[in-house]
Amino acid sequence: MRRIVFFLFLIALLFGESTSDYLYQIFTPSAPSSIMGLEDLNGRLAYEQMLTANPETGQVPDNIRLKELSFSNALANATKGLRKQDLDIQSIGPSNVGGRTRAIALDVRNENVILAGGVSGGIWKSIDGGVTWIRKSDPENRNSVTCIVQDTREGREDTWYHGTGELVGNSARGGGGGSPFRGDGIYKSVDNGETWEVLSSTSNATPSVFNNQFQYIWDMEVNDRNLIQDELIVAAFGGILKSVDGGDSWSVALGQELFNLPLDTNLNGINASFFSSLEKTVDGTFYASLSTFTASDGTSPEGGIYVSQNTEDWFNIDPFSRGSVYQRVVMGHAPSDPRQCYFLVDSNPTFLLRYTLTGFGASGPIGNWSEALEIPAFGGQLGDFDSQGSYNMLVKVDPSNANTVFVGGTNLYRSTDGFQTAENIDWIGGYDPEGGTGVYLNHHPDQHNLIFFPSDPNKLLSTNDGGVRLTNDFNADSVFWEPRNEGYLTSQFFTVALSQESDGVILGGMQDNGTDFSFGEKSWDALIGGDGGYAETTRNKTFWYTSFQNGQTLILTLNEASDITSFARVDPAGLVINAGGVYLFVNPFVVDPTLPTRMFIAGGNFLYVNDNVTQIPAGTQDASSLGWNRLDSTSISDASISSVEISTDGTVLYFGASNGQVFKLVNADRTLDIEVTEITSSLFSEGFVSSIAIDPENADHLMVVFSNYEVPSIFESNDGGVTFQNISGNLEEFEDGSGNGPSVRWGEIIPTNGGHLFLVGTSVGLYSTETTSTNTVWLKESVDLIGSSVIPMIDYRPLDGKLAIATHGNGVFSATVSDFKPLTISSDEDDFQVVATYPNPFADATTIQFGIPEDGIVKVDLFSAKGDLVKNLLWAPQFSGTSSVTWDGTNAVGTPVENGIYFYRITYNGKIRSGRLSLRR
């Protein structure tokens, strides 16, 4: 969320007064980003579960990420040589917006050399202190990077390792605990991070089930005291593992050995430690933790907190009573006094403890635990420490001052007395301490790591769900942060939209990073915060539509400097709730392409339409029912509308639901004449309709996409949905959809001079075909750039053949279809006229419908029979075509007026049209 200057222009017009000389500073409505959402339709994980789960079992198939990547590789080999030409795909940023980052490290020889890893974006390298970044990992690799470490021994510094597999929190993975975004073991570089190869001892080459603990790597350390062997210590699922030959072979230091198992082994639900972690002190002491929490109903017998001075002999120093259950433990020692180590323990409640190690005796370590230290608690909506279920946790100590300690959850906190007193704790990052749901200036919520610079005792890097941030003075009363994301293309998009004019405008909604836009540059600008959802911009950039989690939808205006000059929240939340509906976490809407003030929005089990959302008063942060109509004929039983698409002429609309139903709505441009027909095919599953593509030339030519695993994914109709054929082809392992085919998220139909180009975005990259049939051969695009990134959405502009391709982890890409067929839409409006008023007389509300030949400012006023101004209904830019406004029989302050005769006056381009209304309650 960002602070804006808001001109009271539209509000003043609505009340018939001129107050344009006054300026107010306000906040656009937003919401905190949601990681571990509630298990219902508006929670992120529940949404992703619905998107990908097998509709018959309700579960995401075990180990599906590895299976689908293996399937994708086999498909690439099978179609090698079939491609005629590739789309010319290029990255278009955002070069200044980072994504979720757990892994980061400085080169010990040169602190300007930094390696970092995006959880779904791969490995990146900077040689200028984080000012710019270059990708160093193969896009086809399993790029869920979770940790990174350098071999700091003299002469070995070119060797690096990174772990993969995020067990908690990755939104690209699908939902639920059955299918986290697993990695593929540990990767190694011997040329200072320029190239990477997976350690074959850790790679699951023939995935069938979850049978290898190297699929989840929490942490790693190199033992720099061992000058003879290449000793690597790894915190993995279920145990602490050790290699003395640079990762060629492994033994178990703590916990269980869960690798080299029979291929039919299934580790889901095993009674083994779910979380693990490591900490190496500057004097060579190692700490490790294994959670007592497991994926089973029991507790891990190996759970505990351990210490070792040689990585061979480990001693349990767990301060908790036997049988205690705790989840993740993160640790941070004090480099200036390595005897002290802090432990942040996610339990109920959360604990922060300090252990002081004074030495080792004959029977083990000699040390003591502190009393429980203060957990940050600033109150309000977002001020208290929150680990979000062990998702975001860190504890770090200032290398030069053992009393300056940092703790991270959703927010970043600093204590100057080791968290002994609440008075000495400061809130220095994450959400905005001033309140609301904004973010700390230039920082971002959901903390994962801190890295201190050896050359400067006040300088550090912070990584979180917004990428990388730098401060040159972490001791300041108010810490100033600088983003360090230029070229760090790790942002995780949910949606993308192109302006339908050739003005270069592109915008999209991102996980945790709100909605941003660009005028064709790689650096993007922020619009609103939260988890960004569907977005659009109208012609001439007159209005901008944005949304964030759970269907909260805004209309914005921007000035020439791209500052927001007005906003209104326009979603009909109250009507949705009253109808028993719930918005999806990423909730679809469309605007009429021929009249962009007209909006359709999915509201749970009904579709809603507003013939003119610009009538909703600007400045409101509450949902509005003004002008909204529920289309009762669109009712869905026991499901939610999940996809909405409208034809280029605005006359036909298709929508699909989370239970596989699909409907066709004709006369979409005439609210009173709308007709709805169900066109669900017997070929469809009861899955999640994630996308409906309409041929820009022919509204009867459509493609329906299902995103669930283990069901047929892609269907085509050439007769408006009367009949369909399954065109999934080689994107399914078996004809019935079973097997290891990917989750297909989006589709586009593009007319070309030679026929059509069909595109689908999947969980393993972008695919295309020029010929569809029951045996469609889909070919993978942009293996070198997009690779196997998850593609949740594509947008196409028929005007010039431009494509925008959103990825969940590597930003946005663009392309131009070289053989595209241009499409233009003409308007039939040739005069300024009143089209109709209905009903009239009226009791509850009436609609005034008018048409204008060209875009322009329209003012609609209501007067009493005496000539007194009763209310201004509209004073805003409108688009050529037929528009309408609604009057509910109230005056400017919302009070119902008396029965009688009233007059409306519509002013446009110096012309006036008027008429009479009769109110009879």
Side-chain angles (χ1 to χ4, degrees):
M1 182 184 68
R2 70 177 188 169
R3 191 181 299 268
I4 65 169
V5 176
F6 170 60
F7 296 90
L8 294 180
F9 178 68
L10 290 179
I11 293 179
L13 298 182
L14 290 169
F15 288 92
E17 300 175 1
S18 177
T19 59
S20 57
D21 293 334
Y22 298 94
L23 296 178
Y24 286 64
Q25 283 193 316
I26 64 172
F27 291 99
T28 51
S30 186
S33 302
S34 173
I35 294 295
M36 305 298 284
L38 297 175
E39 290 298 326
D40 55 21
L41 293 185
N42 65 350
R44 180 190 296 173
L45 294 185
Y47 171 76
E48 290 152 1
Q49 177 85 6
M50 185 190 306
L51 195 73
T52 56
N54 181 319
E56 291 188 7
T57 66
Q59 299 296 316
V60 180
D62 287 338
N63 212 30
I64 191 59
R65 184 60 180 168
L66 292 179
K67 292 177 182 178
E68 67 180 357
L69 287 168
S70 179
F71 175 85
S72 174
N73 291 336
L75 183 60
N77 291 330
T79 56
K80 189 178 299 183
L82 296 180
R83 177 169 300 286
K84 297 178 181 178
Q85 64 179 27
D86 288 305
L87 286 171
D88 182 18
I89 292 176
Q90 299 177 345
S91 170
I92 54 172
S95 63
N96 58 328
V97 182
R100 181 151 69 251
T101 302
R102 291 185 180 275
I104 190 167
L106 307 180
D107 187 334
V108 293
R109 298 162 297 182
N110 181 357
E111 64 185 32
N112 284 320
V113 176
I114 309 171
L115 270 71
V119 167
S120 53
I123 287 288
W124 296 77
K125 184 176 181 179
S126 173
I127 59 173
D128 53 16
V131 176
T132 60
W133 297 85
I134 299 175
R135 184 169 186 158
K136 296 299 180 181
S137 60
D138 187 341
E140 282 292 280
N141 290 345
R142 293 161 197 167
N143 285 300
S144 53
V145 180
T146 53
C147 53
I148 190 167
V149 67
Q150 182 184 22
D151 189 338
T152 59
R153 296 173 298 169
E154 186 176 356
R156 314 285 182 89
E157 296 94 335
D158 278 350
T159 298
W160 293 74
Y161 303 88
H162 81 73
T164 62
E166 187 182 42
L167 187 54
V168 174
N170 199 304
S171 60
R173 63 182 175 147
S179 181
F181 195 170
R182 298 188 181 110
D184 187 26
I186 298 171
Y187 285 74
K188 183 177 183 178
S189 172
V190 294
D191 54 9
N192 206 31
E194 291 295 315
T195 61
W196 296 84
E197 296 291 338
V198 67
L199 294 173
S200 59
S201 62
T202 67
S203 176
N204 191 349
T206 55
S208 57
V209 294
F210 170 33
N211 60 7
N212 188 334
Q213 67 195 120
F214 283 108
Q215 291 167 309
Y216 301 126
I217 306 296
W218 285 102
D219 208 350
M220 295 188 297
E221 294 284 1
V222 171
N223 186 358
D224 56 1
R225 299 302 179 95
N226 187 342
L227 302 180
I228 306 299
Q229 300 168 307
D230 295 335
E231 184 177 337
L232 180 65
I233 313 297
V234 172
F237 176 87
I240 306 297
L241 310 178
K242 177 178 176 179
S243 173
V244 294
D245 52 16
D248 290 337
S249 62
W250 297 90
S251 61
V252 176
L254 290 168
Q256 300 183 37
E257 180 178 321
L258 302 174
F259 59 92
N260 293 332
L261 300 173
L263 293 180
D264 59 354
T265 302
N266 190 338
L267 297 180
N268 287 297
I270 190 173
N271 192 36
S273 295
F274 196 81
F275 301 94
S276 61
S277 62
L278 281 169
E279 176 78 0
K280 181 186 68 175
T281 71
V282 295
D283 66 355
T285 299
F286 282 81
Y287 292 94
S289 74
L290 295 174
S291 69
T292 59
F293 175 81
T294 73
S296 70
D297 293 331
T299 59
S300 170
E302 296 89 10
I305 297 173
Y306 298 84
V307 64
S308 174
Q309 60 180 166
N310 58 17
T311 72
E312 290 289 335
D313 303 308
W314 293 85
F315 301 91
N316 193 338
I317 57 171
D318 192 336
F320 301 105
S321 61
R322 186 175 181 85
S324 296
V325 177
Y326 51 84
Q327 298 189 161
R328 190 177 173 199
V329 179
V330 295
M331 301 169 284
H333 80 285
S336 63
D337 184 4
R339 300 174 304 162
Q340 297 187 44
C341 190
Y342 289 81
F343 295 78
L344 182 62
V345 183
D346 189 23
S347 181
N348 188 16
T350 298
F351 292 96
L352 178 62
L353 303 170
R354 183 181 64 249
Y355 182 73
T356 303
L357 176 66
T358 57
F360 282 83
S363 58
I366 302 171
N368 61 81
W369 288 94
S370 68
E371 297 291 332
L373 301 172
E374 293 286 339
I375 295 294
F378 284 79
Q381 183 179 357
L382 299 166
D384 293 349
F385 174 85
D386 183 2
S387 75
Q388 297 192 100
S390 293
Y391 167 72
N392 38 229
M393 294 177 66
L394 71 83
V395 57
K396 298 286 184 179
V397 184
D398 179 350
S400 61
N401 185 344
N403 290 319
T404 301
V405 182
F406 301 83
V407 161
T410 50
N411 298 319
L412 183 62
Y413 305 94
R414 178 193 64 205
S415 169
T416 55
D417 64 1
F419 286 93
Q420 295 185 70
T421 62
E423 292 77 14
N424 288 311
I425 301 175
D426 294 299
W427 179 349
I428 64 167
Y431 289 112
D432 185 359
E434 298 300 319
T437 55
V439 299
Y440 196 103
L441 182 63
N442 289 330
H443 205 252
H444 198 279
D446 305 334
Q447 314 310 311
H448 298 301
N449 214 332
L450 295 179
I451 299 293
F452 300 90
F453 284 78
S455 65
D456 189 332
N458 295 307
K459 184 177 178 181
L460 66 75
L461 288 170
S462 166
T463 70
N464 44 51
D465 275 14
V468 184
R469 302 297 198 274
L470 170 75
T471 181
N472 289 303
D473 188 2
F474 60 73
N475 287 306
D477 290 339
S478 179
V479 177
F480 177 76
W481 297 97
E482 302 174 37
R484 282 291 186 265
N485 291 315
E486 186 65 34
Y488 186 61
L489 299 175
T490 53
S491 48
Q492 298 164 306
F493 277 79
F494 287 128
T495 66
V496 71
L498 280 168
S499 164
Q500 292 305 298
E501 297 178 311
S502 55
D503 53 13
V505 175
I506 184 171
L507 66 164
M510 293 174 282
Q511 176 185 314
D512 304 322
N513 279 296
T515 300
D516 283 16
F517 70 98
S518 165
F519 290 103
E521 303 296 328
K522 286 193 173 183
S523 181
W524 292 38
D525 293 318
L527 277 176
I528 62 170
D531 285 285
Y534 280 70
E536 288 196 37
T537 182
T538 66
R539 59 179 179 257
N540 300 320
K541 299 182 286 294
T542 304
F543 297 111
W544 301 69
Y545 294 97
T546 63
S547 64
F548 50 93
Q549 62 257 41
N550 309 329
Q552 299 171 79
T553 306
L554 307 176
I555 183 172
L556 313 171
T557 61
L558 275 62
N559 60 20
E560 291 185 358
S562 298
D563 294 321
I564 297 174
T565 53
S566 71
F567 77 92
R569 183 175 167 188
V570 297
D571 59 279
L575 296 179
V576 173
I577 294 172
N578 291 338
V582 178
Y583 286 128
L584 292 176
F585 184 82
V586 181
N587 196 72
F589 69 78
V590 294
V591 295
D592 185 334
T594 64
L595 189 65
T597 55
R598 195 161 186 266
M599 173 182 280
F600 293 85
I601 193 168
N605 51 340
F606 287 97
L607 191 67
Y608 295 79
V609 61
N610 191 318
D611 287 327
N612 195 340
V613 293
T614 60
Q615 189 184 354
I616 296 173
T620 176
Q621 300 194 28
D622 298 320
S624 176
S625 61
L626 182 61
W628 283 102
N629 291 296
R630 189 182 78 188
L631 300 177
D632 291 339
S633 57
T634 65
S635 176
I636 306 289
S637 300
D638 301 320
S640 293
I641 296 174
S642 54
S643 179
V644 184
E645 191 58 78
I646 193 168
S647 62
T648 51
D649 63 2
T651 62
V652 179
L653 181 146
Y654 295 94
F655 64 95
S658 59
N659 65 354
Q661 289 182 281
V662 179
F663 297 82
K664 181 179 182 180
L665 188 154
V666 297
N667 302 327
D669 56 336
R670 303 194 302 272
T671 300
L672 293 181
D673 299 324
I674 283 175
E675 298 177 7
V676 179
T677 305
E678 183 172 0
I679 57 172
T680 306
S681 170
S682 60
L683 300 175
F684 296 171
S685 71
E686 295 183 359
F688 189 96
V689 180
S690 59
S691 168
I692 299 176
I694 304 176
D695 185 338
E697 281 192 318
N698 177 8
D700 283 336
H701 183 200
L702 67 148
M703 186 164 59
V704 176
V705 171
F706 289 80
S707 58
N708 309 81
Y709 289 108
E710 300 183 329
V711 300
S713 301
I714 314 167
F715 299 87
E716 181 185 20
S717 174
N718 287 287
D719 53 18
V722 177
T723 61
F724 283 90
Q725 70 170 340
N726 180 355
I727 62 168
S728 305
N730 62 342
L731 282 180
E732 302 294 355
E733 185 171 11
F734 303 109
E735 186 176 352
D736 64 356
S738 62
N740 300 326
S743 166
V744 182
R745 306 295 176 89
W746 199 264
E748 288 289 337
I749 303 175
I750 300 170
T752 64
N753 292 319
H756 291 90
L757 175 67
F758 299 83
L759 293 175
V760 290
T762 78
S763 54
V764 292
L766 178 69
Y767 288 82
S768 69
T769 188
E770 294 179 353
T771 305
T772 58
S773 69
T774 54
N775 298 304
T776 304
V777 177
W778 296 92
L779 302 178
K780 193 166 189 175
E781 298 280 351
S782 188
V783 173
D784 57 334
L785 284 178
I786 295 177
S788 293
S789 297
V790 176
I791 298 178
M793 188 175 287
I794 309 166
D795 197 19
Y796 174 67
R797 183 165 59 216
L799 176 67
D800 57 4
K802 192 79 169 181
L803 281 167
I805 304 144
T807 74
H808 198 86
N810 286 133
V812 177
F813 296 83
S814 71
T816 300
V817 179
S818 58
D819 192 36
F820 80 97
K821 189 174 182 181
L823 178 72
T824 57
I825 302 296
S826 61
S827 173
D828 295 331
E829 293 293 336
D830 56 5
D831 193 16
F832 170 37
Q833 58 183 317
V834 175
V835 178
T837 56
Y838 55 88
N840 190 16
F842 73 100
D844 298 318
T846 186
T847 296
I848 306 167
Q849 196 173 58
F850 59 90
I852 56 175
E854 297 179 349
D855 299 354
I857 302 294
V858 174
K859 183 181 181 185
V860 181
D861 290 317
L862 279 171
F863 298 88
S864 69
K866 297 179 180 180
D868 296 328
L869 178 65
V870 175
K871 191 174 190 176
N872 171 267
L873 295 181
L874 178 71
W875 197 351
Q878 299 292 285
F879 298 97
S880 61
T882 301
S883 300
S884 63
V885 293
T886 300
W887 183 40
D888 61 359
T890 64
N891 60 19
V893 294
T895 302
V897 298
E898 296 178 352
N899 287 346
I901 301 298
Y902 295 85
F903 296 89
Y904 61 84
R905 183 173 68 192
I906 307 174
T907 305
Y908 160 76
N909 199 24
K911 301 177 182 178
I912 295 175
R913 301 287 185 269
S914 58
R916 187 173 72 169
L917 301 170
S918 177
L919 174 59
R920 298 178 185 176
R921 291 191 180 90

